Amino acid sequence: GKISRKTKGATNVMVVTDRAAVLGNQMDEESGPHEKVSFIGQVPVRIKGEVRSGDWIVPSDDNDGTGIAIAHNALTLNHQVVGQAWESSSDPGIKRVNTAVGLDQSEVLKHIIKSQQDQIDELRSMLLEVRSGLTDLGSTR
């Protein structure tokens, strides 16, 4: 329930923004300092490095409030997905990128499972080639 730039071990990773589409539990000035957090919608997210539209956005792990882009085939269960980039940039520095946040996590899991299945299929194909080569080697003796 607290806002921090430290993302390692966080239960949820969200976006502090000046453009939240939906605000909940808004506090008055007397309740102390507060931040606007986006739970769902399109918001600009501070991204380090190159990003392609469709990449997954995850925390940079630099504890500075920035994210990085991860391609679909590189996403793992260890990544904390913040959202999905809706625009591209080749700028290697920090820039604001329009990002869809509050995604259904089952979509993220579908992409991870597909990537893992593709890797399994490739390994299976390689194994069949090795077996075939061993069979051929045994029949030439």
Side-chain angles (χ1 to χ4, degrees):
K2 295 187 179 190
I3 295 175
S4 171
R5 290 183 175 188
K6 296 178 183 175
T7 57
K8 188 172 182 122
T11 304
N12 294 303
V13 181
M14 297 175 198
V15 177
V16 172
T17 184
D18 58 350
R19 295 189 191 167
V22 177
L23 282 176
N25 205 18
Q26 191 166 357
M27 305 179 105
D28 57 29
E29 294 299 322
E30 295 171 7
S31 60
H34 59 278
E35 297 284 349
K36 294 177 183 174
V37 177
S38 183
F39 292 91
I40 191 165
Q42 298 180 55
V43 293
V45 175
R46 293 176 60 233
I47 306 295
K48 283 184 182 179
E50 292 186 24
V51 58
R52 289 186 313 248
S53 180
D55 282 350
W56 299 108
I57 303 303
V58 302
S60 68
D61 290 335
D62 291 335
N63 298 322
D64 61 358
T66 61
I68 58 170
I70 301 288
H72 285 277
N73 60 352
L75 190 68
T76 71
L77 291 173
N78 295 327
H79 288 112
Q80 297 171 294
V81 175
V82 173
Q84 191 170 29
W86 278 15
E87 59 186 349
S88 302
S89 174
S90 59
D91 178 355
I94 298 174
K95 75 296 244 147
R96 289 168 50 120
V97 174
N98 192 29
T99 302
V101 298
L103 301 172
D104 177 4
Q105 292 299 309
S106 66
E107 285 300 313
V108 174
L109 292 174
K110 283 181 195 176
H111 286 280
I112 292 171
I113 291 168
K114 172 152 182 6
S115 177
Q116 289 177 341
Q117 186 61 52
D118 290 346
Q119 290 174 5
I120 289 168
D121 292 345
E122 183 180 344
L123 290 170
R124 183 177 289 129
S125 176
M126 291 169 60
L127 180 59
L128 290 173
E129 287 179 28
V130 169
R131 282 184 180 165
S132 176
L134 289 175
T135 302
D136 292 346
L137 183 61
S139 65
T140 59
R141 288 187 163 187

